Amino acid sequence: MSSHAGHGHHDAHTRTHAHAHTHSHGPGAAGAGTEFDWDVMGPMLEQEAELNSGPYEEAARWIAALPTAPKVRRVLDVGSGPGVVTCLLAEVFPEAEVVAVDPTPALLERTKDRARRLGVSDRVRTLEAELPKDAARLGEADLIWAGNSLHHMGDQRAALAAFAENLRPGGTVALLEGGLPTRRLPRDLGIGRPSLEARMDAASAARFDRMRTELPDSKREAEDWSALIAAVGLTPQGTRSFLLDLPAPLSALAREHVITKLTREYEVFGELLDAEDRAVLERLLDPEDPAGLHHRPDVYLLTARTVHLGRRD
């Protein structure tokens, strides 16, 4: 269960990575990460989380400023991936031990390396664990940050109840779930049929639904996150969304990220698109095509991450 940067909605990358683990961070509970080349996947996850660090930091500072917030001494980053958010949480909560929880050793090593580079290694710990079965190993916490990881656990209610058990009195669970699909391209690209990304969303959603049904102990749950928080005995503390808005023209780094993500999406669910849409994606990913992502001036990056809070009284 990893969260990682698509944290907040069902983006294709998060789902793909989830299949390997089980978030977001990316993500869930299966633990088959060995089928991925983490030397390739790790930098992609890191880059995505870094681009989203603004919304993540806003969310963390919102939590820290809540009038009901206790002193945060221990934080669990559930589905931590390469540790970008883990280290960010260590900065926002400077007196806390922050534990990166992920089933993939290669990503936990990236977390350790990042913590050393940023000078927070004295407070950042790592825990290799598969959730929900290893929930008892998490230990108590004042804040549990679950970035796009809960929806990669078959029985979401049971997993959230296990999180609630690990919260100290006054502690908070932050679920990054929902949000908005990422948009990167104009509705009409000038090639192919308009609304390519809407059809990609539909293909991505179909793949996500299949992933949910194939998870161990999968149970269907209405995605009313505040109601689910209340159902496990926590008090809902509010919901907010945080915007990532990088308009055109993109920086070289953001453009590279868009190209990497669309390449990954083409590989993962391209077969669910028709031949015309696949041909358009091939053109978009061709570095020699003047209509492709490498050259278009109209590529942008826009999405929203939604955070739902629950408090243990």
Side-chain angles (χ1 to χ4, degrees):
M1 83 324 26
S2 291
S3 49
H4 323 318
H7 302 330
H9 55 85
H10 304 158
D11 74 349
H13 148 66
T14 300
R15 258 182 266 99
T16 303
H17 184 214
H19 298 161
H21 277 58
T22 71
H23 310 317
S24 137
H25 221 357
T34 52
E35 64 192 74
F36 278 87
D37 182 348
W38 293 110
D39 288 335
V40 174
M41 201 71 165
M44 186 181 90
L45 298 175
E46 228 168 317
Q47 182 186 72
E48 183 169 13
E50 287 168 352
L51 282 173
N52 282 274
S53 61
Y56 295 150
E57 182 174 354
E58 282 184 69
R61 294 199 182 280
W62 170 53
I63 295 166
L66 288 173
T68 56
K71 181 176 179 179
V72 176
R73 296 158 293 164
R74 191 166 188 265
V75 178
L76 297 172
D77 180 11
V78 175
S80 54
V84 175
V85 174
T86 306
C87 293
L88 186 153
L89 292 169
E91 293 173 9
V92 173
F93 299 98
E95 297 180 19
E97 174 190 62
V98 184
V99 183
V101 183
D102 203 277
T104 302
L107 295 178
L108 294 176
E109 284 302 315
R110 284 187 168 271
T111 300
K112 293 176 186 176
D113 291 344
R114 187 178 191 87
R116 281 192 290 268
R117 290 198 308 271
L118 296 178
V120 293
S121 58
D122 58 326
R123 292 186 297 109
V124 169
R125 306 283 181 267
T126 60
L127 176 63
E128 184 182 341
E130 295 181 13
L131 298 183
K133 74 180 181 72
D134 291 335
R137 296 175 51 217
L138 296 178
E140 291 186 332
D142 303 292
L143 172 63
I144 298 177
W145 176 285
N148 260 15
S149 53
L150 187 67
H151 66 234
H152 293 293
M153 301 177 199
D155 189 338
Q156 296 173 105
R157 185 180 297 244
L160 184 56
F163 292 167
E165 286 294 314
N166 285 293
L167 281 178
R168 292 169 176 155
T172 301
V173 63
L175 299 181
L176 279 74
E177 294 287 352
L180 294 174
T182 301
R183 283 290 176 267
R184 297 151 295 198
L185 299 167
R187 185 192 67 85
D188 192 337
L189 293 166
I191 56 174
R193 289 176 293 154
S195 302
L196 171 64
E197 283 193 296
R199 292 188 294 280
M200 291 178 69
D201 285 345
S204 183
R207 185 175 177 84
F208 182 87
D209 291 343
R210 187 175 73 192
M211 180 277 293
R212 281 288 313 157
T213 63
E214 292 173 352
L215 286 173
D217 303 316
S218 180
K219 291 182 174 59
R220 186 173 178 182
E221 195 76 59
E223 292 180 354
D224 182 343
W225 302 111
S226 292
L228 195 59
I229 284 168
V232 301
L234 300 176
T235 301
Q237 292 289 292
T239 295
R240 279 187 60 186
S241 293
F242 300 88
L243 189 68
L244 175 68
D245 182 9
L246 302 180
L250 284 179
S251 68
L253 181 65
R255 184 182 295 271
E256 178 189 346
H257 167 70
V258 169
I259 293 167
T260 300
K261 284 297 296 292
L262 276 178
T263 300
R264 187 72 188 159
E265 291 167 18
Y266 177 71
E267 293 168 352
V268 169
F269 59 80
E271 77 280 358
L272 300 179
L273 300 170
D274 66 22
E276 183 180 357
D277 283 343
R278 289 198 302 274
V280 170
L281 277 169
E282 287 166 8
R283 286 195 62 184
L284 288 172
L285 296 171
D286 182 353
E288 304 302 325
D289 195 316
L293 296 173
H294 293 79
H295 306 288
R296 298 184 70 97
D298 54 4
V299 181
Y300 61 97
L301 191 55
L302 177 66
T303 194
R305 315 291 182 193
T306 300
V307 185
H308 313 268
L309 301 184
R311 181 177 183 271
R312 181 172 182 177
D313 295 324

